Amino acid sequence: MSLFTLIKNILPYVRPYRWLIFLALSLTFIGALTAQVNAYVLQYTVNSIASLVEQQKALSEGLHIVAIISIILLSKELLNIAVSFGQKFFGEKIRIMISKDFAQRIIEKVLTFRMAFFTADESGSGKLQTRIDQGVSSLTRMVQVFFIDIFPLFTSAIVALIGMFNANFSVGFVALCIVPVYFLISKRQATKLKGWRRNIRSFRENKSGGIINILESISVIKSFNREDIEGKKQLALQTALADTQMKTRSTNFKFDALKTFTEQFGVVIIIILTAYLVLTGQMLIGAIMLHIMLFNNVTAPIRQLHRIYDEVNDALIYAEGFFDIMNSNHQIEQSGAYKPEKISGKFELKNVNFSYPNGTKALFAVNMTVLPNKITALVGLSGAGKSTVINLLDKFYEPSEGEILLDGVPLREYDTKFLRENIGLVLQKNHIFSGSIADNIFYGKPGASYEEMVDAAKQAYIHEQIVNLPDGYESSALLLSGGQQQRIAIARLFLKKPPIIFLDEPTASLDAIATEQIKNSLDAIKKDRTVIIISHSVSQFIDSDMIYVLKQGHVLESGTHEEVYKKEGAYKEIFDAAARSLNVERISGTFMKI
């Protein structure tokens, strides 16, 4: 991304605060003028005192001059305090407000993206978090550099340079010649660091993703005693990051030393030139102090060119990832406008093919009909494409080929928010948000009453366990066990009460008693609703009105349990294996003995 493109992208975020920027810049100009006062006062002081010494005037006249100078300097300092406070206050307000806008806009944008964006390799949670955090941070600094730092710095430098030219053209010209040399050194420094900074960004993203992966997989790591392996992986990343950081630091130190020498070389030339002018009677001795202090005001901002280049290059690097997200339109979830008064729940899949963003083909010419107010089961081994079908019906993804109809209308024409308000989804592993148990259940229907929420918990057979907790429904939901969290997710479903229900292994993480309780509750909520259920549990799919058997993305068999079983194909194989895993003969024998 070029600097021009970056500024063009930033301007819409800056424009709402243009009056704050105008006030900050006005104070900047005043501050630039007051910054030169010391140099002129010192020149006047040296010349006046030298003149009094030569004339052998009384001490009282010298004290009079000192008193005037003290009043001027203290008054200037009081003005500087007010100006500096205003600059910092308005500048900090601009920085904070724009940082808030950057962060909010990127989150709002990400929430509009299709599921395909989140499953792509480059959108891993660690990488995405680093890209957003670093993008917001570097872009905010960029705004600060341009509208808060650069103008004050260079306004002061330009005013000081004008003062030097006004005092003596030759001295001003020498100072002017030092500026481009300093600029070129800083530019060369930034160019040399650019590639390494890009590597640092990549290392940070990988490191962040690695840490998140360790935290999420800690039980597996410990159970296999693989702490050493994970530690070595992180060590490799840390070492590569540290080596690159040391290269950048070493380069910075070399260039900083060169810039310091350049600045001191300029000071020496100015001292020699000014001394010559004083000794030849062309200027008074106070000019030496004036020129040195003004030259310091010229070079002080330029000393920070490297920092400014660093900030700009960081912004250019991280802005690429940030604005790739912000300016992306092909990732945005598409929504139709169709909102019927009522959804019956008849789904029709016609020759549907689907491939995930990474190229994995998941469904092949799938034809399927899901009837309203019926229970349809999707059966198959892991990886058969069952969850993919649900993802397509919920518009998380769109078919690569073919068409999906809902009540005779193409699914893509439905308003996405309206569609999902009418669908209840329970997954094998449901996400529990940070917050109370009540908050997590209310997520199913934010406007529900407290009594409705409690009733939903009762239907999910979790109420008794909740009320026994020290804080009841205000207890942290993250402290619940996996099975309890699953019941919270099911309670959301009971609270929402949608006409269409998708159940993807809803009782997989529950114990036998809880499974029976939840099955009874689900059986109750299934009535007069369109239900699609995915389960490896015989008890879950055996009573379905229609069963579709999938294998490697193809529909092999369909029909009722009896019809499909009689085909003696894939379904019979799966059913018999499930029955054997339950040790049905031993169970039957136990019941017969009783």
Side-chain angles (χ1 to χ4, degrees):
M1 178 175 287
S2 67
L3 181 60
F4 174 77
T5 305
L6 176 58
I7 294 173
K8 183 180 177 182
N9 278 299
I10 286 176
L11 281 177
Y13 296 89
V14 175
R15 196 169 290 120
Y17 308 104
R18 53 187 176 274
W19 286 109
L20 281 175
I21 292 173
F22 175 77
L23 288 172
L25 295 182
S26 299
L27 291 172
T28 292
F29 181 70
I30 296 171
L33 293 176
T34 59
Q36 318 309 319
V37 170
N38 282 8
Y40 286 99
V41 168
L42 189 57
Q43 178 195 33
Y44 171 76
T45 303
V46 171
N47 288 337
S48 298
I49 297 299
S51 176
L52 289 175
V53 171
E54 288 178 5
Q55 299 174 28
Q56 296 183 347
K57 294 289 183 71
L59 178 62
S60 60
E61 293 188 32
L63 292 175
H64 177 71
I65 293 172
V66 171
I68 294 173
I69 291 169
S70 299
I71 292 171
I72 293 172
L73 291 177
L74 290 174
S75 300
K76 184 270 300 184
E77 198 58 36
L78 289 173
L79 178 61
N80 256 356
I81 290 172
V83 169
S84 178
F85 174 81
Q87 282 179 306
K88 291 177 180 178
F89 177 80
F90 291 129
E92 192 68 8
K93 186 172 183 179
I94 293 168
R95 187 190 67 80
I96 291 172
M97 298 303 289
I98 289 178
S99 176
K100 178 202 73 174
D101 291 347
F102 274 132
Q104 184 62 25
R105 296 275 186 87
I106 191 73
I107 293 301
E108 289 175 353
K109 185 78 173 187
V110 166
L111 288 171
T112 67
F113 286 168
R114 301 195 304 265
M115 286 293 292
F117 171 81
F118 301 98
T119 55
D121 292 338
E122 64 272 15
S123 299
S125 56
K127 291 183 178 180
L128 195 59
Q129 180 181 357
T130 301
R131 199 180 310 165
I132 291 174
D133 289 345
Q134 293 291 339
V136 171
S137 177
S138 62
L139 287 170
T140 302
R141 289 197 302 270
M142 179 73 172
V143 172
Q144 184 172 6
V145 164
F146 265 87
F147 297 99
I148 301 172
D149 292 347
I150 286 183
F151 284 113
L153 291 173
F154 285 93
T155 301
S156 178
I158 291 169
V159 171
L161 195 59
I162 291 172
M164 295 187 76
F165 271 104
N166 186 58
N168 185 277
F169 180 83
S170 299
V171 176
F173 183 75
V174 170
L176 183 61
C177 289
I178 298 297
V179 173
V181 176
Y182 224 99
F183 180 82
L184 289 172
I185 293 172
S186 294
K187 185 177 181 182
R188 175 63 179 163
Q189 180 181 10
T191 302
K192 195 170 182 66
L193 294 174
K194 187 174 183 180
W196 289 335
R197 289 186 178 281
R198 199 177 294 273
N199 290 337
I200 288 174
R201 167 193 164 183
S202 177
F203 290 141
R204 282 174 175 166
E205 288 181 354
N206 290 332
K207 186 179 81 169
S208 179
I211 292 172
I212 290 175
N213 184 60
I214 287 174
L215 296 176
E216 291 178 345
S217 311
I218 191 65
S219 59
V220 177
I221 293 169
K222 287 189 172 295
S223 68
F224 282 91
N225 293 320
R226 298 296 181 261
E227 291 90 343
D228 289 344
I229 292 177
E230 295 301 326
K232 288 176 182 178
K233 288 180 184 178
Q234 281 299 302
L235 178 60
L237 286 173
Q238 299 281 11
T239 302
L241 176 59
D243 290 345
T244 306
Q245 287 176 323
M246 283 307 301
K247 288 178 182 178
T248 62
R249 296 295 186 273
S250 176
T251 301
N252 280 338
F253 296 152
K254 293 174 184 176
F255 277 97
D256 287 346
L258 182 58
K259 287 190 289 186
T260 299
F261 177 80
T262 302
E263 181 186 354
Q264 291 306 310
F265 180 79
V267 171
V268 170
I269 296 298
I270 287 173
I271 289 174
I272 293 172
L273 180 57
T274 306
Y276 169 78
L277 295 172
V278 171
L279 292 172
T280 57
Q282 299 179 52
M283 302 186 80
L284 297 175
I285 191 170
I288 295 177
M289 303 305 299
L290 173 69
H291 290 160
I292 292 175
M293 292 190 71
L294 287 178
F295 183 67
N296 183 67
N297 288 344
V298 172
T299 57
I302 300 173
R303 287 189 210 113
Q304 301 191 51
L305 271 176
H306 159 60
R307 179 182 66 81
I308 292 170
Y309 263 113
D310 280 352
E311 303 289 3
V312 170
N313 277 296
D314 268 352
L316 287 172
I317 291 169
Y318 288 108
E320 291 175 6
F322 184 88
F323 283 112
D324 278 348
I325 296 173
M326 286 302 301
N327 298 331
S328 175
N329 289 321
H330 68 280
Q331 296 283 10
I332 292 178
E333 193 169 48
Q334 300 299 316
S335 177
Y338 182 60
K339 295 182 181 180
E341 292 184 5
K342 182 181 179 182
I343 289 181
S344 297
K346 181 182 179 181
F347 287 99
E348 297 172 84
L349 287 79
K350 298 183 177 181
N351 295 314
V352 170
N353 292 284
F354 177 73
S355 297
Y356 282 100
N358 61 8
T360 302
K361 294 183 178 180
L363 297 178
F364 301 85
V366 170
N367 289 283
M368 189 181 295
T369 300
V370 177
L371 296 175
N373 303 322
K374 300 291 183 180
I375 300 172
T376 301
L378 305 182
V379 178
L381 302 178
S382 298
K386 307 182 297 295
S387 296
T388 300
V389 171
I390 285 182
N391 286 335
L392 292 178
L393 297 182
D394 216 349
K395 283 186 75 174
F396 289 151
Y397 298 93
E398 294 182 0
S400 304
E401 296 177 9
E403 189 174 37
I404 300 176
L405 304 178
L406 173 56
D407 295 341
V409 179
L411 195 64
R412 64 178 177 274
E413 295 183 10
Y414 277 81
D415 179 90
T416 302
K417 289 185 176 180
F418 172 82
L419 175 69
R420 291 176 185 163
E421 285 295 329
N422 286 274
I423 293 177
L425 177 62
V426 176
L427 303 173
Q428 180 175 346
K429 185 178 180 180
N430 287 276
H431 182 75
I432 296 298
F433 296 93
S434 177
S436 69
I437 294 172
D439 291 338
N440 272 270
I441 299 176
F442 273 126
Y443 207 80
K445 185 180 177 183
S449 66
Y450 189 84
E451 289 73 20
E452 288 177 306
M453 183 272 296
V454 171
D455 186 58
K458 289 178 179 178
Q459 293 179 72
Y461 291 94
I462 188 66
H463 173 74
E464 295 298 330
Q465 296 180 39
I466 293 174
V467 295
N468 287 327
L469 294 172
D471 297 321
Y473 280 90
E474 295 306 312
S475 302
S476 172
L478 296 177
L479 298 178
L480 299 176
S481 67
Q484 289 173 324
Q485 290 184 1
Q486 184 72 344
R487 296 198 203 188
I488 296 298
I490 294 172
R492 291 177 193 160
L493 179 66
F494 285 117
L495 187 61
K496 187 176 182 180
K497 295 180 180 178
I500 300 172
I501 298 174
F502 298 155
L503 303 172
D504 191 347
E505 294 287 355
T507 59
S509 59
L510 302 179
D511 56 64
I513 294 176
T515 297
E516 183 183 17
Q517 292 173 338
I518 293 299
K519 183 181 181 300
N520 293 335
S521 295
L522 290 176
D523 288 343
I525 201 172
K526 285 175 186 176
K527 293 178 180 178
D528 300 323
R529 286 182 170 85
T530 301
V531 178
I532 297 179
I533 185 166
I534 296 173
S535 181
H536 293 99
S537 171
V538 172
S539 63
Q540 291 290 329
F541 61 74
I542 194 170
D543 294 329
S544 300
D545 298 294
M546 174 64 72
I547 296 174
Y548 286 94
V549 184
L550 288 87
K551 183 177 182 180
Q552 296 180 346
H554 296 84
V555 175
L556 299 183
E557 302 162 351
S558 62
T560 63
H561 164 68
E562 291 77 11
E563 291 171 346
V564 182
Y565 189 82
K566 289 178 182 178
K567 294 179 181 180
E568 299 189 351
Y571 180 77
K572 183 179 185 300
E573 183 180 349
I574 293 170
F575 184 86
D576 289 348
R580 287 193 297 272
S581 69
L582 292 174
N583 203 346
V584 175
E585 293 182 2
R586 183 71 179 270
I587 294 172
S588 300
T590 301
F591 280 114
M592 290 178 66
K593 290 179 182 178
I594 295 173

